[in-house]
Amino acid sequence: EVQLVESGGGLVQRGESLRLSCAASGFSINYHWMDWVRQAPGKGLEWVANINHDGSEKYYVGSVKGRFTISRDNARNLLFLQINSLRDEDTAVYYCSTALNNWGQGTLVAVSS
Amino acid sequence: DIQMTQSPSSLSASVGDRVTLTCRASQGIGSDLCWYQQKPGKAPKALIYAASKLQSGVPSKFSGSGSGTEFTLTISSLQPEDFATYYCLQYYSYPRTFGQGTKLEL
């Protein structure tokens, strides 16, 4: 069964950092573009970033450029999102996805002042 | 950035109805559009890709059409499990952008 499980979310202070992980099982992420999408409480979906098969191409939405870094470890079937300088507006459920097709259940990041 | 605008923002319907949701792009995106269904507290579920192609396992009651700047998602014979929020997404260019969603209510 194809499964994506996010982890690493939590309550963090404004300005701090966090690293989200996404563990894939039932398939190899080697051949897939991988995405992160977030959803603020009560709001719509926002695409955050994606990364190609070998990590040589990465794209970000403008509001996170310079603060977020997407990466992957194909050998361990893992996707990551490093989030630095957290802002109030980063509070959201973060989903990982295989090319916006299969999705995990999400991990909540809550930024507190 | 390409702006995606969905209409209506909310729609009331009844079991058995056929409904059509619209998504408009601020510039042409060819057929690089997906549709998603999201229920409260759950992850989005992919329904349609390439504007009109059904994802594996998605019932044929869902259909998509359109190209360029105007797209539609039609759901026939609504069942209770179809009441959810629906989002469109363009993957023609970066950043990928979602519409604001259409909430389909019973």
Side-chain angles (χ1 to χ4, degrees), chain B residues 52-101:
Chain B
S52 62
K53 299 182 180 180
L54 218 56
Q55 286 283 357
S56 176
V58 174
S60 58
K61 63 187 300 181
F62 293 93
S63 63
S65 67
S67 67
T69 61
E70 186 151 340
F71 303 85
T72 60
L73 173 70
T74 298
I75 313 170
S76 62
S77 188
L78 281 171
Q79 296 302 304
E81 61 269 23
D82 299 328
F83 292 92
T85 300
Y86 292 84
Y87 294 93
C88 61
L89 164 90
Q90 68 79 20
Y91 55 94
Y92 178 81
S93 69
Y94 287 106
R96 309 310 196 203
T97 44
F98 287 91
Q100 82 280 14

Side-chain angles (χ1 to χ4, degrees), chain A residues 33 35 37 39 43-47 50 59-62 95 99-106, chain B residues 1 34 36 38 41-46 55 87 89-91 94-101:
Chain A
W33 281 75
D35 295 75
V37 173
Q39 187 168 36
K43 302 297 184 182
L45 300 168
E46 180 183 32
W47 177 84
N50 73 358
Y59 299 91
Y60 300 90
V61 69
Y95 297 101
L100 300 171
N101 184 358
N102 295 305
W103 296 62
Q105 286 306 300
Chain B
D1 299 0
C34 292
Y36 298 89
Q38 188 180 34
K42 300 294 186 181
K45 175 186 176 183
Q55 286 283 357
Y87 294 93
L89 164 90
Q90 68 79 20
Y91 55 94
Y94 287 106
R96 309 310 196 203
T97 44
F98 287 91
Q100 82 280 14

Side-chain angles (χ1 to χ4, degrees), chain A residues 57-105:
Chain A
E57 293 182 54
K58 302 176 184 181
Y59 299 91
Y60 300 90
V61 69
S63 58
V64 309
K65 279 181 184 175
R67 297 191 302 121
F68 288 22
T69 302
I70 189 172
S71 61
R72 63 194 295 157
D73 184 337
N74 287 344
R76 294 194 294 158
N77 234 20
L78 292 170
L79 176 72
F80 303 104
L81 186 67
Q82 177 69 38
I83 306 175
N84 297 331
S85 303
L86 274 156
R87 303 171 179 171
D88 293 350
E89 57 265 33
D90 296 323
T91 293
V93 173
Y94 285 74
Y95 297 101
C96 71
S97 171
T98 53
L100 300 171
N101 184 358
N102 295 305
W103 296 62
Q105 286 306 300

